Coordinates of all heavy atoms in Angstrom, one line a residue:
M1 N -47.9 -52.6 -16.1 CA -47.2 -51.4 -16.4 C -47.0 -50.6 -15.1 O -47.9 -50.3 -14.4 CB -48.1 -50.6 -17.4 CG -47.5 -49.4 -17.8 SD -48.7 -48.7 -18.8 CE -48.2 -47.8 -19.9
S2 N -45.7 -50.3 -14.8 CA -45.4 -49.6 -13.6 C -45.4 -48.1 -13.8 O -45.0 -47.7 -14.9 CB -44.1 -50.1 -13.0 OG -43.1 -49.7 -13.9
Q3 N -45.7 -47.4 -12.8 CA -45.7 -45.9 -13.0 C -44.4 -45.4 -12.5 O -43.8 -45.8 -11.5 CB -46.8 -45.3 -12.2 CG -48.2 -45.6 -12.7 CD -49.2 -44.7 -12.1 OE1 -48.9 -43.9 -11.2 NE2 -50.4 -44.8 -12.6
R4 N -43.9 -44.4 -13.2 CA -42.6 -43.7 -12.8 C -42.9 -42.6 -11.9 O -43.9 -41.9 -12.1 CB -41.9 -43.2 -14.0 CG -41.2 -44.3 -14.8 CD -40.4 -43.8 -16.0 NE -39.9 -42.4 -15.7 CZ -39.4 -41.7 -16.6 NH1 -39.2 -42.1 -17.8 NH2 -38.9 -40.5 -16.3
F5 N -42.0 -42.3 -11.0 CA -42.1 -41.1 -10.1 C -41.7 -39.9 -10.9 O -40.6 -39.9 -11.5 CB -41.3 -41.3 -8.8 CG -41.2 -40.0 -8.0 CD1 -42.4 -39.7 -7.3 CD2 -40.1 -39.2 -7.9 CE1 -42.3 -38.5 -6.5 CE2 -40.1 -38.1 -7.2 CZ -41.2 -37.8 -6.4
V6 N -42.5 -38.9 -10.9 CA -42.1 -37.7 -11.6 C -41.9 -36.6 -10.6 O -42.7 -36.3 -9.7 CB -43.3 -37.2 -12.5 CG1 -43.0 -35.9 -13.2 CG2 -43.6 -38.3 -13.5
F7 N -40.6 -36.1 -10.6 CA -40.3 -35.1 -9.6 C -40.9 -33.8 -9.9 O -40.8 -33.3 -11.1 CB -38.7 -35.0 -9.6 CG -38.2 -34.1 -8.5 CD1 -38.2 -34.6 -7.2 CD2 -37.9 -32.8 -8.7 CE1 -37.7 -33.8 -6.1 CE2 -37.4 -32.0 -7.7 CZ -37.4 -32.5 -6.4
P8 N -41.5 -33.1 -9.0 CA -42.2 -31.8 -9.3 C -41.2 -30.7 -9.3 O -40.9 -30.0 -8.3 CB -43.2 -31.7 -8.1 CG -42.6 -32.5 -7.0 CD -41.8 -33.6 -7.6
F9 N -40.7 -30.4 -10.4 CA -39.7 -29.3 -10.6 C -40.3 -27.9 -10.4 O -39.5 -27.0 -10.1 CB -39.0 -29.4 -12.0 CG -38.1 -30.6 -12.2 CD1 -38.5 -31.7 -12.9 CD2 -36.9 -30.6 -11.6 CE1 -37.7 -32.7 -13.1 CE2 -36.0 -31.7 -11.7 CZ -36.5 -32.8 -12.5
E10 N -41.6 -27.8 -10.5 CA -42.2 -26.5 -10.3 C -42.1 -26.1 -8.8 O -42.0 -24.9 -8.5 CB -43.7 -26.6 -10.6 CG -44.0 -27.0 -12.1 CD -44.0 -28.5 -12.3 OE1 -44.1 -29.2 -11.3 OE2 -43.9 -28.9 -13.4
A11 N -41.9 -27.0 -7.9 CA -41.8 -26.7 -6.5 C -40.5 -26.1 -6.1 O -40.3 -25.5 -5.1 CB -42.2 -27.9 -5.6
L12 N -39.4 -26.4 -6.9 CA -38.1 -25.9 -6.6 C -38.0 -24.4 -6.6 O -37.3 -23.9 -5.8 CB -37.1 -26.5 -7.6 CG -36.8 -28.0 -7.4 CD1 -35.8 -28.5 -8.5 CD2 -36.3 -28.3 -6.1
S13 N -38.7 -23.8 -7.5 CA -38.6 -22.3 -7.5 C -39.3 -21.7 -6.3 O -38.7 -20.8 -5.7 CB -39.3 -21.7 -8.8 OG -40.7 -22.1 -8.8
A14 N -40.4 -22.3 -5.8 CA -41.0 -21.8 -4.6 C -40.1 -22.1 -3.4 O -40.0 -21.2 -2.5 CB -42.4 -22.4 -4.4
L15 N -39.6 -23.3 -3.3 CA -38.7 -23.6 -2.2 C -37.4 -22.8 -2.2 O -36.9 -22.4 -1.1 CB -38.4 -25.1 -2.2 CG -39.5 -26.1 -1.9 CD1 -39.0 -27.5 -2.0 CD2 -40.0 -25.8 -0.4
G16 N -36.9 -22.5 -3.4 CA -35.7 -21.6 -3.5 C -36.1 -20.2 -3.0 O -35.3 -19.6 -2.3
A17 N -37.2 -19.7 -3.3 CA -37.6 -18.4 -2.9 C -37.8 -18.3 -1.4 O -37.4 -17.4 -0.7 CB -38.9 -17.9 -3.6
I18 N -38.4 -19.3 -0.8 CA -38.6 -19.4 0.6 C -37.3 -19.4 1.3 O -37.0 -18.7 2.3 CB -39.5 -20.6 1.0 CG1 -40.9 -20.3 0.6 CG2 -39.5 -20.8 2.5 CD1 -41.8 -21.5 0.7
G19 N -36.4 -20.3 0.8 CA -35.0 -20.4 1.4 C -34.3 -19.1 1.3 O -33.6 -18.6 2.3
L20 N -34.4 -18.4 0.2 CA -33.7 -17.1 0.0 C -34.2 -16.0 0.9 O -33.4 -15.3 1.5 CB -33.8 -16.7 -1.5 CG -33.1 -15.4 -1.9 CD1 -31.6 -15.7 -1.8 CD2 -33.4 -15.0 -3.3
V21 N -35.5 -16.0 1.1 CA -36.1 -15.0 2.0 C -35.7 -15.3 3.5 O -35.3 -14.4 4.2 CB -37.6 -15.0 1.9 CG1 -38.3 -14.2 3.0 CG2 -38.0 -14.4 0.6
T22 N -35.6 -16.6 3.8 CA -35.2 -17.0 5.2 C -33.7 -16.6 5.4 O -33.4 -16.0 6.5 CB -35.4 -18.5 5.4 OG1 -36.8 -18.8 5.2 CG2 -35.0 -18.9 6.8
V23 N -32.9 -16.9 4.5 CA -31.5 -16.5 4.6 C -31.3 -15.0 4.7 O -30.5 -14.5 5.5 CB -30.6 -17.1 3.5 CG1 -29.2 -16.6 3.4 CG2 -30.6 -18.6 3.6
A24 N -32.0 -14.3 3.9 CA -31.9 -12.8 3.9 C -32.4 -12.3 5.2 O -31.8 -11.3 5.8 CB -32.7 -12.2 2.8
A25 N -33.5 -12.8 5.8 CA -34.0 -12.3 7.1 C -33.0 -12.6 8.2 O -32.7 -11.7 9.1 CB -35.3 -13.0 7.4
V26 N -32.4 -13.8 8.3 CA -31.4 -14.1 9.3 C -30.2 -13.2 9.2 O -29.7 -12.7 10.2 CB -31.0 -15.6 9.2 CG1 -29.8 -15.9 10.1 CG2 -32.2 -16.5 9.6
F27 N -29.7 -13.0 8.0 CA -28.6 -12.2 7.7 C -28.9 -10.7 8.1 O -28.1 -10.0 8.8 CB -28.2 -12.2 6.3 CG -27.0 -11.3 5.9 CD1 -25.7 -11.7 6.3 CD2 -27.2 -10.1 5.3 CE1 -24.6 -10.9 6.0 CE2 -26.1 -9.3 5.0 CZ -24.8 -9.7 5.3
G28 N -30.1 -10.2 7.8 CA -30.5 -8.9 8.2 C -30.6 -8.7 9.7 O -30.1 -7.7 10.2
V29 N -31.1 -9.7 10.4 CA -31.2 -9.6 11.9 C -29.8 -9.6 12.5 O -29.5 -8.8 13.4 CB -32.1 -10.7 12.4 CG1 -31.9 -10.8 13.9 CG2 -33.5 -10.5 12.1
K30 N -28.9 -10.4 12.0 CA -27.5 -10.4 12.5 C -26.8 -9.1 12.3 O -26.1 -8.6 13.1 CB -26.7 -11.6 11.9 CG -27.2 -12.9 12.3 CD -26.7 -13.2 13.7 CE -27.0 -14.6 14.1 NZ -26.8 -14.9 15.4
Q31 N -27.0 -8.5 11.1 CA -26.4 -7.3 10.8 C -26.9 -6.1 11.6 O -26.2 -5.2 12.0 CB -26.5 -7.0 9.3 CG -25.7 -7.8 8.4 CD -24.2 -7.8 8.7 OE1 -23.7 -6.7 8.9 NE2 -23.6 -8.9 8.8
Y32 N -28.2 -6.2 11.9 CA -28.9 -5.1 12.7 C -28.4 -5.2 14.1 O -28.1 -4.2 14.8 CB -30.4 -5.2 12.7 CG -31.1 -4.2 13.5 CD1 -31.1 -2.9 13.1 CD2 -31.6 -4.6 14.7 CE1 -31.7 -1.9 13.9 CE2 -32.3 -3.6 15.5 CZ -32.3 -2.3 15.1 OH -32.9 -1.3 15.9
Q33 N -28.2 -6.4 14.7 CA -27.7 -6.6 16.0 C -26.3 -6.1 16.1 O -25.9 -5.5 17.1 CB -27.8 -8.1 16.4 CG -29.2 -8.5 16.7 CD -29.3 -10.0 17.0 OE1 -28.3 -10.7 16.8 NE2 -30.4 -10.4 17.5
K34 N -25.5 -6.4 15.1 CA -24.1 -5.9 15.0 C -24.1 -4.4 14.9 O -23.2 -3.8 15.6 CB -23.4 -6.6 13.8 CG -21.9 -6.4 13.8 CD -21.3 -7.2 12.7 CE -19.8 -7.0 12.6 NZ -19.2 -7.7 11.5
F35 N -24.9 -3.8 14.2 CA -25.0 -2.4 14.1 C -25.4 -1.7 15.4 O -24.8 -0.7 15.8 CB -26.0 -2.0 13.0 CG -26.3 -0.5 12.9 CD1 -25.4 0.4 12.4 CD2 -27.5 0.0 13.4 CE1 -25.7 1.7 12.3 CE2 -27.8 1.3 13.4 CZ -26.9 2.2 12.8
E36 N -26.3 -2.3 16.1 CA -26.8 -1.8 17.4 C -25.7 -1.8 18.4 O -25.6 -1.0 19.3 CB -28.0 -2.6 17.9 CG -29.3 -2.0 17.7 CD -30.4 -2.7 18.4 OE1 -30.2 -3.8 18.9 OE2 -31.4 -2.1 18.5
N37 N -24.8 -2.8 18.3 CA -23.7 -3.0 19.3 C -22.4 -2.4 18.8 O -21.3 -2.8 19.3 CB -23.5 -4.5 19.6 CG -24.6 -5.0 20.5 OD1 -25.2 -4.3 21.2 ND2 -24.8 -6.3 20.4
W38 N -22.4 -1.5 17.9 CA -21.3 -0.8 17.4 C -20.2 -1.8 16.8 O -19.0 -1.7 17.1 CB -20.7 0.1 18.4 CG -21.6 1.2 18.8 CD1 -22.6 1.1 19.7 CD2 -21.6 2.5 18.3 NE1 -23.2 2.3 19.8 CE2 -22.6 3.2 18.9 CE3 -20.8 3.2 17.4 CZ2 -22.9 4.5 18.7 CZ3 -21.1 4.5 17.1 CH2 -22.1 5.2 17.8
G39 N -20.7 -2.8 16.1 CA -19.7 -3.7 15.5 C -19.4 -4.9 16.3 O -18.7 -5.8 15.9
K40 N -19.8 -4.9 17.6 CA -19.5 -6.0 18.4 C -20.5 -7.1 18.3 O -21.7 -6.8 18.0 CB -19.3 -5.6 19.9 CG -18.2 -4.6 20.1 CD -18.2 -4.2 21.6 CE -17.0 -3.2 21.8 NZ -17.0 -2.7 23.1
P41 N -20.2 -8.3 18.6 CA -21.3 -9.4 18.5 C -22.3 -9.2 19.6 O -22.0 -8.6 20.6 CB -20.5 -10.7 18.6 CG -19.2 -10.3 19.2 CD -18.9 -8.9 18.9
K42 N -23.4 -9.8 19.4 CA -24.5 -9.7 20.4 C -24.1 -10.4 21.7 O -23.5 -11.5 21.7 CB -25.8 -10.4 19.8 CG -27.0 -10.4 20.7 CD -28.2 -11.0 20.0 CE -29.4 -10.9 20.9 NZ -29.4 -11.9 22.0
R43 N -24.5 -9.8 22.8 CA -24.2 -10.4 24.1 C -25.2 -11.5 24.4 O -26.3 -11.4 24.1 CB -24.2 -9.4 25.2 CG -23.2 -8.4 25.0 CD -23.2 -7.4 26.1 NE -22.0 -6.5 26.0 CZ -21.9 -5.3 26.5 NH1 -22.9 -4.9 27.3 NH2 -20.9 -4.6 26.3
Y44 N -24.6 -12.6 25.0 CA -25.5 -13.7 25.5 C -25.0 -14.2 26.8 O -23.8 -13.9 27.2 CB -25.5 -14.8 24.5 CG -24.1 -15.4 24.2 CD1 -23.7 -16.5 24.9 CD2 -23.3 -14.9 23.3 CE1 -22.5 -17.1 24.7 CE2 -22.0 -15.4 23.1 CZ -21.6 -16.5 23.8 OH -20.4 -17.0 23.6
N45 N -25.8 -14.8 27.6 CA -25.5 -15.3 28.9 C -25.0 -14.2 29.8 O -23.9 -14.3 30.4 CB -24.5 -16.5 28.8 CG -24.4 -17.3 30.0 OD1 -25.3 -17.2 30.9 ND2 -23.4 -18.1 30.2
V46 N -25.7 -13.1 29.9 CA -25.3 -11.9 30.6 C -25.8 -12.1 32.1 O -27.0 -12.3 32.3 CB -25.9 -10.6 30.1 CG1 -25.6 -9.4 30.9 CG2 -25.5 -10.5 28.6
D47 N -24.9 -12.1 33.0 CA -25.2 -12.3 34.4 C -25.3 -10.9 35.1 O -25.2 -9.9 34.5 CB -24.2 -13.2 35.1 CG -22.8 -12.7 35.1 OD1 -22.6 -11.7 34.5 OD2 -21.9 -13.4 35.7
R48 N -25.5 -11.0 36.5 CA -25.7 -9.8 37.2 C -24.4 -8.9 37.2 O -24.5 -7.7 37.0 CB -26.0 -10.1 38.7 CG -26.4 -8.9 39.5 CD -26.6 -9.1 40.9 NE -27.2 -10.4 41.2 CZ -27.2 -11.0 42.4 NH1 -26.7 -10.3 43.4 NH2 -27.8 -12.1 42.6
W49 N -23.2 -9.5 37.2 CA -22.0 -8.7 37.1 C -21.9 -8.0 35.8 O -21.5 -6.8 35.8 CB -20.8 -9.6 37.4 CG -19.5 -8.9 37.2 CD1 -18.7 -8.9 36.1 CD2 -18.9 -8.0 38.2 NE1 -17.6 -8.1 36.3 CE2 -17.7 -7.5 37.6 CE3 -19.2 -7.6 39.4 CZ2 -16.8 -6.7 38.2 CZ3 -18.3 -6.7 40.1 CH2 -17.2 -6.3 39.5
D50 N -22.2 -8.7 34.7 CA -22.1 -8.0 33.4 C -23.1 -6.9 33.3 O -22.8 -5.8 32.7 CB -22.4 -9.1 32.3 CG -21.3 -10.1 32.2 OD1 -20.1 -9.7 32.5 OD2 -21.6 -11.2 31.8
R51 N -24.3 -7.1 33.8 CA -25.3 -6.0 33.8 C -24.9 -4.8 34.6 O -25.1 -3.6 34.2 CB -26.7 -6.5 34.3 CG -27.4 -7.3 33.3 CD -28.8 -7.5 33.6 NE -29.0 -8.4 34.8 CZ -29.0 -9.7 34.7 NH1 -28.8 -10.3 33.6 NH2 -29.2 -10.4 35.8
R52 N -24.2 -5.0 35.7 CA -23.7 -3.9 36.5 C -22.6 -3.2 35.8 O -22.5 -2.0 35.8 CB -23.2 -4.4 37.9 CG -24.3 -4.7 38.8 CD -23.8 -5.2 40.2 NE -24.8 -5.5 41.1 CZ -24.7 -6.2 42.2 NH1 -23.4 -6.5 42.6 NH2 -25.7 -6.5 43.0
M53 N -21.7 -3.9 35.2 CA -20.6 -3.3 34.4 C -21.2 -2.5 33.2 O -20.7 -1.5 32.8 CB -19.6 -4.3 34.0 CG -18.8 -4.9 35.1 SD -17.8 -3.7 35.9 CE -18.7 -3.5 37.4
M54 N -22.2 -3.1 32.6 CA -22.8 -2.4 31.4 C -23.5 -1.1 31.9 O -23.4 0.0 31.3 CB -23.9 -3.3 30.8 CG -23.2 -4.4 30.0 SD -24.4 -5.7 29.5 CE -25.7 -4.8 28.7
E55 N -24.1 -1.1 33.1 CA -24.7 0.1 33.6 C -23.7 1.1 34.0 O -23.8 2.3 33.8 CB -25.6 -0.3 34.9 CG -26.5 0.8 35.3 CD -25.9 1.6 36.4 OE1 -25.0 1.1 37.1 OE2 -26.3 2.8 36.5
R56 N -22.5 0.7 34.6 CA -21.4 1.6 34.9 C -20.9 2.2 33.7 O -20.6 3.4 33.6 CB -20.4 0.8 35.7 CG -19.1 1.6 36.0 CD -18.0 0.8 36.4 NE -17.5 -0.1 35.3 CZ -16.4 0.1 34.6 NH1 -15.7 1.2 34.9 NH2 -16.1 -0.7 33.7
D57 N -20.6 1.4 32.6 CA -20.1 1.9 31.4 C -21.1 2.9 30.8 O -20.7 3.9 30.2 CB -19.9 0.8 30.4 CG -18.7 -0.1 30.8 OD1 -17.9 0.3 31.7 OD2 -18.7 -1.3 30.3
S58 N -22.4 2.6 30.9 CA -23.4 3.6 30.4 C -23.3 4.9 31.1 O -23.4 6.0 30.5 CB -24.8 2.9 30.5 OG -25.7 3.8 30.2
R59 N -23.1 4.8 32.4 CA -23.0 6.1 33.2 C -21.7 6.8 32.9 O -21.7 8.1 32.9 CB -23.2 5.8 34.7 CG -24.6 5.5 35.1 CD -24.8 5.4 36.6 NE -24.0 4.3 37.2 CZ -23.1 4.5 38.1 NH1 -22.9 5.7 38.6 NH2 -22.5 3.5 38.7
L60 N -20.7 6.1 32.6 CA -19.4 6.7 32.4 C -19.3 7.3 31.0 O -18.8 8.4 30.8 CB -18.2 5.7 32.5 CG -17.7 5.5 33.9 CD1 -16.7 4.4 34.0 CD2 -17.0 6.8 34.4
T61 N -19.8 6.6 30.0 CA -19.6 7.0 28.6 C -20.8 7.3 27.8 O -20.8 7.9 26.8 CB -18.9 5.8 27.8 OG1 -19.7 4.7 27.8 CG2 -17.5 5.5 28.4
G62 N -22.0 7.0 28.4 CA -23.3 7.2 27.7 C -23.7 6.1 26.8 O -24.7 6.1 26.2
N63 N -22.9 5.0 26.8 CA -23.2 3.8 25.9 C -22.7 2.6 26.7 O -21.6 2.6 27.2 CB -22.5 4.0 24.6 CG -23.0 2.9 23.6 OD1 -23.4 1.9 24.0 ND2 -23.0 3.3 22.3
V64 N -23.5 1.5 26.6 CA -23.1 0.3 27.3 C -21.9 -0.4 26.6 O -21.3 -1.3 27.2 CB -24.2 -0.7 27.5 CG1 -25.3 -0.1 28.4 CG2 -24.8 -1.1 26.2
N65 N -21.6 -0.1 25.4 CA -20.6 -0.8 24.6 C -19.2 -0.1 24.7 O -18.3 -0.7 24.2 CB -21.0 -0.9 23.1 CG -22.2 -1.8 23.0 OD1 -22.2 -2.9 23.5 ND2 -23.2 -1.4 22.2
F66 N -19.2 1.1 25.2 CA -17.9 1.8 25.3 C -17.4 1.7 26.7 O -18.1 1.7 27.7 CB -18.0 3.2 24.9 CG -18.4 3.4 23.4 CD1 -19.3 4.4 23.1 CD2 -17.9 2.5 22.5 CE1 -19.7 4.5 21.8 CE2 -18.3 2.7 21.1 CZ -19.2 3.7 20.8
Q67 N -16.1 1.7 26.9 CA -15.4 1.6 28.2 C -14.4 2.7 28.2 O -13.9 3.2 27.2 CB -14.8 0.3 28.4 CG -15.8 -0.8 28.4 CD -15.2 -2.2 28.5 OE1 -14.0 -2.3 28.3 NE2 -16.0 -3.2 28.7
R68 N -14.0 3.1 29.5 CA -12.9 4.1 29.7 C -11.7 3.4 30.3 O -11.9 2.5 31.1 CB -13.4 5.2 30.6 CG -14.4 6.1 29.9 CD -14.3 7.4 30.6 NE -14.6 8.4 29.6 CZ -15.0 9.6 29.9 NH1 -15.1 10.0 31.1 NH2 -15.2 10.5 29.0
C69 N -10.6 3.9 30.0 CA -9.3 3.4 30.6 C -8.7 4.3 31.6 O -7.6 4.0 32.1 CB -8.4 3.0 29.5 SG -7.8 4.4 28.5
E70 N -9.3 5.5 31.8 CA -8.7 6.4 32.8 C -8.9 5.9 34.2 O -9.9 5.4 34.5 CB -9.3 7.8 32.7 CG -9.0 8.5 31.4 CD -9.9 8.2 30.3 OE1 -11.0 7.6 30.6 OE2 -9.6 8.5 29.1
P71 N -7.9 6.0 35.1 CA -8.0 5.5 36.4 C -8.9 6.3 37.3 O -9.4 5.8 38.3 CB -6.6 5.5 37.0 CG -5.9 6.5 36.2 CD -6.5 6.5 34.8
V72 N -9.2 7.6 36.9 CA -10.0 8.4 37.7 C -11.3 8.7 36.9 O -11.2 9.1 35.8 CB -9.3 9.7 38.1 CG1 -10.2 10.7 38.9 CG2 -8.0 9.4 38.8
A73 N -12.5 8.6 37.6 CA -13.7 8.8 36.9 C -13.9 10.3 36.8 O -13.4 11.1 37.5 CB -14.9 8.2 37.7
P74 N -14.7 10.7 35.7 CA -15.0 12.2 35.6 C -15.8 12.7 36.8 O -16.4 11.9 37.5 CB -15.7 12.3 34.3 CG -16.1 10.9 33.9 CD -15.3 10.0 34.7
E75 N -15.9 14.0 36.9 CA -16.5 14.6 38.0 C -18.0 14.4 38.0 O -18.6 14.1 39.1 CB -16.3 16.2 38.0 CG -17.0 16.9 39.1 CD -16.5 16.6 40.5 OE1 -15.3 16.2 40.6 OE2 -17.3 16.6 41.4
Q76 N -18.7 14.3 36.9 CA -20.1 14.1 36.8 C -20.5 12.7 37.2 O -21.7 12.4 37.4 CB -20.7 14.4 35.4 CG -20.2 13.6 34.3 CD -19.0 14.1 33.6 OE1 -18.3 15.0 34.1 NE2 -18.7 13.6 32.4
F77 N -19.5 11.8 37.3 CA -19.8 10.4 37.7 C -20.3 10.3 39.1 O -21.1 9.4 39.5 CB -18.6 9.5 37.5 CG -18.8 8.1 37.7 CD1 -19.5 7.4 36.7 CD2 -18.3 7.4 38.7 CE1 -19.8 6.0 36.9 CE2 -18.5 6.0 38.9 CZ -19.3 5.4 37.9
T78 N -19.9 11.3 40.0 CA -20.4 11.3 41.4 C -21.9 11.7 41.5 O -22.5 11.3 42.5 CB -19.5 12.2 42.3 OG1 -19.6 13.5 41.7 CG2 -18.1 11.8 42.3
R79 N -22.4 12.4 40.5 CA -23.7 12.9 40.6 C -24.7 12.0 39.9 O -25.9 12.1 40.1 CB -23.8 14.3 39.9 CG -23.1 15.3 40.7 CD -23.4 16.7 40.2 NE -22.9 16.9 38.8 CZ -21.6 17.3 38.5 NH1 -20.8 17.4 39.5 NH2 -21.3 17.4 37.3
N80 N -24.3 11.0 39.1 CA -25.2 10.1 38.5 C -25.0 8.7 39.0 O -24.9 7.7 38.3 CB -25.1 10.1 37.0 CG -23.8 9.6 36.5 OD1 -22.9 9.4 37.2 ND2 -23.7 9.5 35.2
S81 N -24.9 8.6 40.3 CA -24.7 7.3 41.0 C -25.9 6.3 40.8 O -27.0 6.8 40.8 CB -24.4 7.5 42.5 OG -24.2 6.3 43.1
A82 N -25.6 5.1 40.8 CA -26.7 4.1 40.7 C -27.3 3.9 42.1 O -28.5 3.4 42.2 CB -26.1 2.7 40.3
W83 N -26.7 4.3 43.1 CA -27.2 4.2 44.5 C -28.0 5.5 44.8 O -27.4 6.5 45.1 CB -26.1 4.0 45.5 CG -25.4 2.7 45.2 CD1 -24.2 2.6 44.5 CD2 -25.7 1.4 45.6 NE1 -23.8 1.3 44.5 CE2 -24.7 0.5 45.1 CE3 -26.8 0.8 46.3 CZ2 -24.7 -0.8 45.3 CZ3 -26.8 -0.5 46.5 CH2 -25.8 -1.3 46.0
E84 N -29.3 5.4 44.8 CA -30.1 6.6 44.9 C -30.1 7.1 46.4 O -30.2 8.3 46.6 CB -31.6 6.3 44.5 CG -31.7 5.9 43.0 CD -31.3 7.1 42.1 OE1 -31.5 8.2 42.5 OE2 -30.9 6.8 41.0
L85 N -30.0 6.2 47.3 CA -30.2 6.6 48.7 C -28.8 7.0 49.4 O -28.8 7.5 50.4 CB -30.9 5.5 49.5 CG -32.3 5.2 49.0 CD1 -32.8 4.0 49.9 CD2 -33.2 6.4 49.1
E86 N -27.7 6.6 48.7 CA -26.4 6.8 49.3 C -25.9 8.2 49.0 O -26.0 8.7 47.8 CB -25.5 5.8 48.8 CG -24.1 5.8 49.4 CD -23.2 4.7 48.9 OE1 -23.7 3.5 48.8 OE2 -22.1 4.9 48.6
K87 N -25.4 8.9 49.9 CA -24.8 10.2 49.7 C -23.4 10.1 49.1 O -22.6 9.3 49.6 CB -24.7 11.0 51.0 CG -26.0 11.1 51.8 CD -26.7 12.4 51.4 CE -27.9 12.6 52.2 NZ -28.9 13.4 51.6
P88 N -23.1 10.9 48.1 CA -21.7 10.8 47.6 C -20.7 11.5 48.6 O -21.1 12.3 49.3 CB -21.8 11.7 46.3 CG -23.0 12.5 46.4 CD -23.9 11.8 47.3
Y89 N -19.5 11.0 48.6 CA -18.5 11.5 49.5 C -18.2 13.0 49.2 O -17.9 13.4 48.2 CB -17.2 10.8 49.6 CG -17.2 9.4 49.1 CD1 -16.3 8.9 48.2 CD2 -18.1 8.4 49.7 CE1 -16.3 7.7 47.7 CE2 -18.0 7.1 49.2 CZ -17.1 6.7 48.3 OH -17.1 5.5 47.9

């Protein structure tokens, strides 16, 4: 007499719950990162130039995600320079 394999259906509910919690956590983290970046996707592979531009945008606008299109910087930009030892002109 051979034994039949009985599939444990009771485990499906636990595995489904674990999968649902995992998907909800990943979705929540992605939405939080998107919220933090004002709707833009998360930045990756940021090099030195990108960090400098983010710092410049932060000094110009107060946020690293916003940029300005005016050709002339505002007056207060000369007083919040990234170069601490350099005298503004």
